[in-house]
Amino acid sequence: AAALFGELAAEFPDRGGYVLALALTQKFLGREDEYRTGVARGAGLRPPEPRLLYELGAIAERRGSLPLAVDLYRRSLEASLAGRR
């Protein structure tokens, strides 16, 4: 799965869903560094992928950085709502 999503993310770098799938696959495989890199990359897309911002918020929350987590959760919600317009 990681190889497939890696190919799709490389071929379609602007599609956040593939970037998210690759990042979550990396997390499942225990590759935390690759997971964080993928999530950060996806969050930098314009428009950002809402679920990736949410994942970054969860990382910040686990690390105890609550103000950053709240900001990332807010941005995730805003990006999600913007996509419905």
Side-chain angles (χ1 to χ4, degrees):
L4 172 63
F5 288 128
E7 289 176 24
L8 289 169
E11 186 172 344
F12 305 102
D14 58 333
R15 295 192 183 166
Y18 295 140
V19 176
L20 174 62
L22 176 59
L24 292 175
T25 301
Q26 298 291 11
K27 181 180 176 95
F28 178 76
L29 294 172
R31 301 176 184 158
E32 286 294 318
D33 290 337
E34 290 93 339
Y35 162 72
R36 288 189 191 105
T37 299
V39 169
R41 187 176 118 210
L45 296 174
R46 295 292 171 247
E49 172 62 40
R51 292 192 57 189
L52 289 167
L53 292 170
Y54 183 87
E55 287 292 323
L56 283 173
I59 291 170
E61 184 177 358
R62 282 193 304 272
R63 291 183 174 181
S65 184
L66 296 182
L68 177 59
V70 169
D71 181 58
L72 288 163
Y73 288 143
R74 178 190 54 77
R75 289 175 47 202
S76 173
L77 180 59
E78 288 173 352
S80 179
L81 294 174
R84 293 185 177 193
R85 293 181 188 159

